[in-house]
Amino acid sequence: NAGVMQNPRHLVRRRGQEARLRCSPMKGHSHVYWYRQLPEEGLKFMVYLQKENIIDESGMPKERFSAEFPKEGPSILRIQQVVRGDSAAYFCASSPRAGLDYEQYFGPGTRLTVT
Amino acid sequence: AQTVTQSQPEMSVQEAETVTLSCTYDTSESDYYLFWYKQPPSRQMILVIRQEAYKQQNATENRFSVNFQKAAKSFSLKISDSQLGDAAMYFCAYRRATSGTYKYIFGTGTRLKVLA
């Protein structure tokens, strides 16, 4: 029973490039959450998606960041024109539903380094 | 807005001893969930224990137990018989129980060192 998969595990980008982070939820899970962990800090919520819908993007920076979760395939977190401040670990979590008893299962994270 | 505070950036405990990690939170909600997550150097987030706010009984999982004080908005984690493998970052997290968004709000973490 595979857990939440994220790739790549490590990603290095130069300033101004684009970063694409992928998240494959656990089998049977249709809800995905993205969190960002800056160095020496806790995880901060970015966005919550269901298949083909963004439910809550209150934690997403207004510019350069976007997320999608298509009907087929993984969820993608996209960062355009990366800057040094985007260097962080990005975690994806999934749950089967969005009800009260459905906790989130976390992936191993993608560590983005912007040089 | 809800907030979670972990006031101990770092704690140390001798192997086989007991240690308590503190967490306080602020919310106007009456129903919610609280969690403790462990993050070892691999960075994988591992659920240690969870507590439903409507339950008065403190949650326990083997060597891990919580002291949930709803009125004081306090949620501490006690680790008994500490082991070297317990060394990690520990994060306290809050989640609303009402419908809408189910995002977790995390504290800044406590780094636990276990001394042999």
Side-chain angles (χ1 to χ4, degrees):
Chain A
N1 184 18
V4 178
M5 309 286 284
Q6 289 188 249
N7 66 80
R9 293 293 308 276
H10 300 275
L11 182 61
V12 179
R13 284 286 178 266
R14 290 199 177 120
R15 279 178 295 171
Q17 291 185 319
E18 178 180 288
R20 281 187 177 232
L21 288 62
R22 293 176 179 77
C23 169
S24 296
M26 288 179 70
K27 189 176 181 180
H29 287 197
S30 58
H31 298 253
V32 164
Y33 306 78
W34 285 93
Y35 294 84
R36 177 166 67 173
Q37 184 179 29
L38 295 170
E40 304 304 317
E41 293 189 13
L43 280 70
K44 286 191 164 49
F45 169 78
M46 298 181 75
V47 62
Y48 161 39
L49 311 102
Q50 295 177 21
K51 289 275 188 182
E52 301 183 282
N53 279 308
I54 297 175
I55 307 302
D56 179 0
E57 55 182 346
S58 59
M60 286 280 268
K62 298 296 181 198
E63 298 177 349
R64 303 187 297 107
F65 285 72
S66 63
E68 63 176 8
F69 188 18
K71 187 176 180 181
E72 301 291 337
S75 175
I76 307 285
L77 179 67
R78 183 180 174 207
I79 311 171
Q80 295 178 293
Q81 299 175 325
V82 297
V83 301
R84 288 234 172 98
D86 297 333
S87 295
Y90 292 82
F91 288 88
C92 166
S94 73
S95 66
R97 296 181 187 178
L100 299 178
D101 286 327
Y102 297 104
E103 63 190 69
Q104 298 171 23
Y105 295 82
F106 284 84
T110 293
R111 181 180 285 189
L112 172 65
T113 302
V114 179
T115 62
Chain B
Q2 295 89 7
T3 58
V4 176
T5 302
Q6 293 180 251
S7 58
Q8 305 155 316
E10 190 171 295
M11 293 281 286
S12 295
V13 62
Q14 206 70 34
E15 197 176 3
E17 296 293 310
T18 295
V19 65
T20 299
L21 309 184
S22 301
C23 172
T24 58
Y25 58 94
D26 188 26
T27 182
S28 58
E29 307 274 336
S30 60
D31 202 11
Y32 46 86
Y33 292 80
L34 296 165
F35 306 84
W36 278 99
Y37 277 88
K38 172 184 178 181
Q39 187 181 47
S42 67
R43 289 185 170 266
Q44 178 72 52
M45 295 291 285
I46 301 166
L47 177 65
V48 175
I49 200 164
R50 88 175 208 175
Q51 173 82 43
E52 291 88 345
Y54 64 86
K55 289 185 178 178
Q56 293 189 343
Q57 188 173 6
N58 289 324
T60 60
E61 284 288 343
N62 300 315
R63 297 183 295 108
F64 300 87
S65 61
V66 297
N67 183 4
F68 173 48
Q69 302 288 328
K70 191 172 184 179
K73 295 180 182 175
S74 171
F75 182 61
S76 60
L77 174 70
K78 185 171 87 171
I79 306 174
S80 303
D81 186 25
S82 297
Q83 301 175 0
L84 294 177
D86 295 333
M89 284 291 290
Y90 286 82
F91 292 97
C92 177
Y94 166 100
R95 195 195 84 185
R96 292 172 63 189
T98 51
S99 62
T101 185
Y102 298 91
K103 64 185 179 186
Y104 286 13
I105 298 170
F106 286 89
T108 51
T110 297
R111 185 178 302 279
L112 178 66
K113 295 184 176 181
V114 180
L115 308 173

